[in-house]
């Protein structure tokens, strides 16, 4: 890991909060993520399962966590199993957690090698009544390849068919959506690194640079500040490419007169930033570009005011849609007639703003949270309106990360330049 060590208190608190929600005499089991093949015997960079990390702080493959607060053997109320290293692994893959390091990272005292997992589990599981297992219940996700948690659940149900099986995910969906002070600090760190990368880009961009050269500037800044890398595939979309919502070829030349839409964010200690900005390649917006830019910025400012505790997901998105509609009329992209005859299920504004305004942000970029609960203090949400005009080869999106507090909200990206004048000033200084 490139990030600095974290305090185990974060993970101890998370475990304490989690076990409070279990039925009595329950055991809960969590697995590290799979390692995925990239090529031959090579794997993709390891990415820890978000729930496993949330409860353990352990950022390594082939580990298992057992939580059994009512375990009759006090030694096994919390147990962590680690992949046992050896000289061969040390030479070929490098350092793995020692038991002492894992204790320091997680706060868990009972630590064993993975080889002991089945026998220790068997020695306690038949004293429990309920087994909580975890799967990826993110409502944006549908699996096509059976991943570790699914294989584990199938295997365990065959070995212990008569227990009462329950789901950990609804508990984690609730807990993870409320960010603790340490999680907020880590997200702020990811935002601050993203800010530095954006400022570097503002000084770098000029007509003729390529999208991939800009991508290289960003990753340079991320890595030198101990970010793991990009939180998601970065979008560096100049001119017409900005109208491809998930564009990440990033292989075109940035042309004089075009606007570039960026959507990138750093990942630091598994926490993520998610930022979008749109800047003129030559350092000056045209009048039309500026008008569209300022329309998006006004929608963002109004939407941000609505990201407060108690707001309801659908009502919030409908209100933003109304504000966007009036901006699109102001830009001459819609007229009143379009709006009068619109299908409420597919409002006219969606022709130019086809994605949602917000999503939760945390250990997952599209974080695990309910769409059916009002916003709560401690949520971090993105605010990301955009206007995409194919016939003008212009797409503008602005995106900041907003923390809901008792008194309203705090923009974790408030320090990242966003006013059109500020963008131009930095680009031309
Ligand atoms: N970068 C992904 C998103 O904005 O949702
Ligand atoms: Mn984004
Ligand atoms: Mn986003």
């Amino acid at each position: 890991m490139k990030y600095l060590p974290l305090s185990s208190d974060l993970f101890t608190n998370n475990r304490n909060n989690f076990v409070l929600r279990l039925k009595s005499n329950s055991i809960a089991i969590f697995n590290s993520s799979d390692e995925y093949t990239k090529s031959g015997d090579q794997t993709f960079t390891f990415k820890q399962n978000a729930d496993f990390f949330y409860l353990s702080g352990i950022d390594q493959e082939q580990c298992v966590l057992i939580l059994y607060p009512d375990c009759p053997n006090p030694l096994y109320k919390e147990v962590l199993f680690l992949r046992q290293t050896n000289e061969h692994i040390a030479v070929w893959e490098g350092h793995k957690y020692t038991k002492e390091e894992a204790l320091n990272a997680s706060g868990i005292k009972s630590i064993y090698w993975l080889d002991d997992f089945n026998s220790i589990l068997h020695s306690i599981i038949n004293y429990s009544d309920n087994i909580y297992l975890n799967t990826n219940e993110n409502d944006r996700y549908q699996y096509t390849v059976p991943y570790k948690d699914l294989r584990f659940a199938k295997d365990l149900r065959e070995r212990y068919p008569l227990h009462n099986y329950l789901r950990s995910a609804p508990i984690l969906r609730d807990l993870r959506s409320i960010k603790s002070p340490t999680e907020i600090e880590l997200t702020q760190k990811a935002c601050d690194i993203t800010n530095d990368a954006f400022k570097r880009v503002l000084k770098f961009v000029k007509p003729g640079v390529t999208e991939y050269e800009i991508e290289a500037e960003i990753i340079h800044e991320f890595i030198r500040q101990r970010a793991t890398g990009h939180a998601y595939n970065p979008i560096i979309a100049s001119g017409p490419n900005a109208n491809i919502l998930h564009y990440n070829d990033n292989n075109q030349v940035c042309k004089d007169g075009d606007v570039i839409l960026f959507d990138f964010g750093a990942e630091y200690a598994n926490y993520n930033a998610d930022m979008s900005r749109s800047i003129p390649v030559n350092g000056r917006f045209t009048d039309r570009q500026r008008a569209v830019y300022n329309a998006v910025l006004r929608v963002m400012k109004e939407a941000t005011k609505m990201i407060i505790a108690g707001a309801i997901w659908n009502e919030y998105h409908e209100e933003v849609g109304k504000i966007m509609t009036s901006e699109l009329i102001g830009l001459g992209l819609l007229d009143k007639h379009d709006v009068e005859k619109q299908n409420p299920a597919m409002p006219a504004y969606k022709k130019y703003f086809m994605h949602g305004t917000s999503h939760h942000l945390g250990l997952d970029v599209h974080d695990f949270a309910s769409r059916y609960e009002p916003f709560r203090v401690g949520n971090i949400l993105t605010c990301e309106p955009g206007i995409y005009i194919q016939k003008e080869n212009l797409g503008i999106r602005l995106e900041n990360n907003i923390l809901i507090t008792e008194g309203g909200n705090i923009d974790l990206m408030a320090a990242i330049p966003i006013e059109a004048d500020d963008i131009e000033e930095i680009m031309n200084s």
Side-chain angles (χ1 to χ4, degrees), residues 232 263 274-276 384 399:
Y232 48 88
D263 189 339
D274 183 3
M275 181 201 75
S276 300
E384 49 181 304
E399 176 174 21

Side-chain angles (χ1 to χ4, degrees), residues 329 334-343 348:
I329 292 171
L334 293 180
D335 61 34
K336 294 217 166 85
H337 183 65
D338 295 323
V339 178
E340 277 160 20
K341 67 172 201 294
Q342 74 185 1
N343 170 2

